Every structure is written in structure tokens, then in C-alpha cells.
């Protein structure tokens, strides 16, 4: 019996929200595993920089922007990727927004914006790329969930609601699409240090509590999510679908740590 390899040679991946933080790490990691990778986001300069990093691994890329709130831009992303590579095998949905504010007075327009980006934007990309994958009878979709898919953090109710729904959407699509060759899973990152949250993690009581709640006693590095993404995108996970793979340093297992 041969063991399926954790490699992606000959595969094409599109990473929506793939030019910063977790998405960028996954984009480059998939390329290092052998895939051609299109890392897309709203800002052209970030798209260009990440494409250069992907090409530095020896793989191919494209320089295409998209916005998860703009269905036409996602369709264009699919069409141009198929034109260049002939197919898209892997979709990673990593675009997201968060805002911390008391739920009692949280403005409805900001609630709608967060849900539209994190949840409905994921649905849009799944519908557009999923249609292509279903026609081919093959696909791997990896959504990015969150610790907030399972537990609440104070004053981020819109984000938490959207990410809980992403986990549910992942299961629903797996039930509908898996028999047709399209496997749908999610990764739920724990607390990972990025350029956007480093001050919060290092200099606030919230950061200290998050560290205390993590049994490994440190925050994650974005490259530590790459293995989970490669696994779910590879043939090693050919019977894995509808799952939310938590990569959190033990956070969800945590009760009293001291």
C-alpha cells in the first residue's frame, strides 16, 4: 500500500485574501509544496509582491485583484486563472474583517459589512469556484474559520457570528459536494502573530489573557498553518471532508492553566 504524498505538483491553487498574514503564508506554502498559486486580494501592490514571492519558489502565479464583496471580480479571478492554467484544483478563502466594539451599540452597517466579507464572501467564492470544480469532478476548498467559530471573545460578536457560520457552511457544502469529488474543509487558527495584531498581543490585558489560555505558552507563527493547508489540499486527505481542523497551540483544550 502506497501512502499518498503531501505534495501538490501539477495543481493550481487560488488563495482569496492571499497577500497578507495567514493567507500570504499559505499562498507561499502551497507553492513550496509544488502548486502554481494565484494569491489575490484588493490591493494591487500586495498582489504583485506576493506573486513575486511565489515565483521565487519556482512556481507560476498571476497578478489579479479581487474583492469578496464583488462577485464579478471573483468570476474574473476564476476565468483568468483557468485561462492561464487550464483549471483550478484548490481554493483557499482567507479574506476577513474584524472590529472590536460593544455589541449593544454595534452599528448595523458595520455588522453587515463584516458578515458580507467573512461569510457571504466565502459563499460567493465557493459558488463560483465550486461550479468549476463540480464540472471537473475534482476540487479542494479550504475555508478559514476561527477560534470564534467555537468560543466567544468579548466585543467581536459580528466576527464571531460570521466565523461560526463559516464552519457551518463548510459542513453544508461538504454534504452537498463531496460525492461529486469536491472536498470542503476549514482551518481554525488559534492566536497568530501578524503585523496587524502584534501591539494588541504584546501590550494589552487581552493579549496576556490569550497567551495564558494557550497551553503552548506562545502565539502561533503564520507558517505553522501551512502544513494543515497542504494536508487538506493533498491526496493524503482524500477521505477528509466537512472538518474544521484547529491549529491553536491547545487553546480550545484549555481549562485552568495555572
Amino acid at each position: 500500500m502506497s501512502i499518498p504524498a503531501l505534495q501538490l505538483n501539477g495543481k493550481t491553487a487560488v488563495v482569496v485574501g492571499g497577500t497578507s498574514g495567514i493567507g500570504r503564508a499559505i499562498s507561499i506554502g502551497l507553492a513550496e509544496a509544488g502548486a502554481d498559486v494565484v494569491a489575490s486580494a484588493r490591493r494591487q501592490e500586495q498582489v504583485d509582491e506576493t506573486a513575486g514571492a511565489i515565483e521565487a519558489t519556482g512556481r507560476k502565479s498571476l497578478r489579479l485583484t479581487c474583492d469578496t464583496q464583488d462577485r464579478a471580480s471573483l468570476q474574473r479571478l476564476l476565468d483568468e486563472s483557468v485561462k492561464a492554467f487550464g483549471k483550478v484544483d484548490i481554493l483557499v478563502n482567507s479574506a476577513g474583517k474584524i472590529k472590536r466594539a460593544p455589541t449593544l451599540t454595534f452599528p448595523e452597517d458595520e455588522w453587515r459589512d463584516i458578515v458580507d466579507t467573512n461569510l457571504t464572501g466565502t459563499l460567493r467564492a465557493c459558488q463560483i469556484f465550486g461550479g468549476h470544480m463540480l464540472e471537473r469532478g475534482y476540487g479542494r476548498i479550504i475555508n478559514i474559520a476561527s477560534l470564534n467559530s467555537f468560543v466567544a471573545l468579548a466585543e467581536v460578536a459580528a466576527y464571531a457570528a460570521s466565523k461560526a457560520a463559516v464552519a457551518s457552511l463548510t459542513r453544508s457544502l461538504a454534504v452537498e459536494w463531496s460525492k461529486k469529488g469536491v472536498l470542503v474543509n476549514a482551518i481554525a487558527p488559534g492566536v497568530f502573530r501578524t503585523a496587524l495584531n502584534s501591539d494588541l498581543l504584546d501590550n494589552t490585558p487581552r493579549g496576556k489573557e490569550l497567551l495564558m489560555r494557550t497551553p503552548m505558552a506562545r502565539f502561533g507563527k503564520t507558517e505553522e498553518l501551512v502544513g494543515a493547508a497542504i494536508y487538506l489540499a493533498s491526496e493524503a486527505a482524500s477521505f477528509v471532508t466537512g472538518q474544521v481542523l484547529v491549529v491553536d497551540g491547545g487553546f480550545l483544550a484549555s481549562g485552568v492553566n495555572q
Side-chain angles (χ1 to χ4, degrees):
M1 175 181 173
S2 62
I3 299 174
L6 285 167
Q7 55 83 21
L8 303 174
N9 295 336
K11 303 297 185 184
T12 301
V14 171
V15 184
V16 177
T19 66
S20 62
I22 288 168
R24 185 180 188 278
I26 289 174
S27 294
I28 295 170
L30 295 178
E32 290 174 339
D36 295 321
V37 181
V38 180
S40 187
R42 292 180 298 169
R43 296 178 178 85
Q44 186 68 57
E45 64 274 15
Q46 291 184 336
V47 169
D48 293 341
E49 189 279 330
T50 305
I54 291 165
E55 290 163 349
T57 71
R59 306 312 308 168
K60 296 177 182 177
S61 189
L62 297 174
R63 288 160 168 77
L64 301 170
T65 60
C66 77
D67 184 339
T68 63
Q69 294 181 311
D70 179 358
R71 191 177 188 91
S73 75
L74 293 168
Q75 185 65 56
R76 212 162 37 242
L77 179 60
L78 170 64
D79 293 344
E80 292 298 319
S81 297
V82 171
K83 181 179 178 181
F85 300 109
K87 60 186 172 59
V88 174
D89 304 288
I90 302 157
L91 170 68
V92 180
N93 284 307
S94 187
K97 289 182 178 179
I98 187 171
K99 179 178 179 179
R100 183 177 183 183
T103 307
L104 181 65
T105 54
F106 200 88
E108 282 194 25
D109 60 335
E110 294 184 11
W111 176 283
R112 285 192 296 268
D113 182 52
I114 290 172
V115 172
D116 192 49
T117 298
N118 297 358
L119 173 60
T120 312
T122 295
L123 173 65
R124 290 186 190 103
C126 286
Q127 287 177 326
I128 289 168
F129 285 83
H132 166 74
M133 292 173 175
L134 290 166
E135 287 178 2
R136 295 183 58 235
Y138 181 91
R140 301 289 185 267
I141 296 175
I142 303 169
N143 297 323
I144 301 300
S146 169
L147 290 179
N148 278 141
S149 299
F150 306 98
V151 297
L153 276 66
E155 297 186 338
V156 288
Y159 180 82
S162 70
K163 288 299 187 178
V166 165
S168 181
L169 175 63
T170 298
R171 290 187 287 268
S172 294
L173 295 180
V175 168
E176 294 185 36
W177 294 355
S178 295
K179 66 174 66 73
K180 301 173 184 176
V182 180
L183 308 185
V184 187
N185 293 287
I187 296 171
V191 186
F192 282 75
R193 183 183 300 281
T194 69
L196 294 178
N197 70 7
S198 59
D199 184 62
L200 179 147
L201 296 184
D202 294 336
N203 299 309
T204 69
R206 192 183 187 91
K208 290 183 176 64
E209 183 177 355
L210 290 169
L211 185 62
M212 181 186 70
R213 288 283 305 276
T214 303
M216 287 186 70
R218 66 174 178 85
F219 300 124
K221 295 173 283 188
T222 54
E223 57 266 28
E224 291 180 297
L225 288 164
V226 170
I230 293 171
Y231 167 65
L232 291 175
S234 76
E235 292 310 302
S238 59
F239 201 57
V240 178
T241 194
Q243 300 304 305
V244 180
L245 177 54
V246 179
V247 184
D248 70 348
F251 187 102
L252 290 182
S254 171
V256 176
N257 291 337
Q258 55 187 322

